[in-house]
Amino acid sequence: LVTTARTLAARRRRRRRRQRMALGMSLKGRRPPSRGVREEGATQTLLRPALSGQTRWTRLRSGKEHQHGFGLPCASKERCVRTRVIPSLIGDAATQPPPDLPSFLFKERIVYLGMTLVPSVTELLVAQFLYLQFEDPQKPIYFYINSTGTTKEDDRLAYDAEAFAILDTLNYIKNPVYTVCVGTAWGEAAMLLAAGEKGHRAALPSSTIMIKEPVALKRGQASDLDLARLELREVRDEVVKTLAKYTERTVEQVSEDIRRPVYMKPERAIEYGLIDKILEESALQ
């Protein structure tokens, strides 16, 4: 009796397995049902998550043959309707991802320099200035600067050509560029600050501005050092001419001043000619 019962049970398991296999072959190529099934009379609504939101699957049971969107007849006698559900954020600000702040600033024509002038930053700034010019060549561009130039903590992180690439772009575009120093504008960043539209170069009250000579950290054989020394002198001359142009001072005076780093508060920067005004709280309101 025990052997007979085991045999019958094994037969039932094989029969159920064959039924499941046959059902799987008949449903091959169709989307399997997912969690969250809700019955509504003759309508069965299935929800299945997708990468961009959710996909709602609605199956209307009917005996009529129907066609899909491309005019192909459906193999089954069920009508399959696929609609997109608009995704939404659920929860408070602590559980939601932060907004894309750079895009919001860029929409208001604000370009922000908040780090050292490495090549990737220069590429982004130049692209932003060019795009804003082609979008509207008359509206001003607001250039906020908080940078230590091409060096940081006495380490050179970029070449001076990065600063001159941005400077040439500022002179190339037709838009007036309003520069604002927030925090620090040292070295090449101070040169960019002074290159803004005359009368619209500003700084926040607690910011610091510093002008200095270009720095070069070069190692190698004697001939390479001689070439680097010549290049550094040419870069220094270009920096001096640029500062003299925007500060309305003589080349000799600027060349003498930047022999050592000169740190300035906004009041002194106005006297030197690097900026035109200080953005006080009353001005911001």
Side-chain angles (χ1 to χ4, degrees), residues 11-27:
R11 290 178 180 176
R12 286 195 295 270
R13 288 195 296 270
R14 287 195 295 268
R15 187 182 305 112
R16 287 194 295 269
R17 190 181 302 112
R18 287 194 297 269
Q19 292 175 355
R20 288 195 298 269
M21 293 178 61
L23 181 61
M25 293 297 293
S26 63
L27 295 178

Side-chain angles (χ1 to χ4, degrees), residues 112 143-147 178-186 189-190 193 200-210 264 266 275 277 279:
Y112 178 61
F143 187 20
Y144 288 78
I145 300 175
N146 183 20
S147 174
Y178 299 168
T179 55
V180 181
C181 175
V182 288
T184 59
W186 293 357
L193 176 65
H200 297 278
R201 304 172 300 176
L204 296 183
S206 301
S207 57
T208 303
I209 304 170
M210 184 262 285
M264 309 178 189
I275 61 176
K277 56 185 175 181
L279 293 182

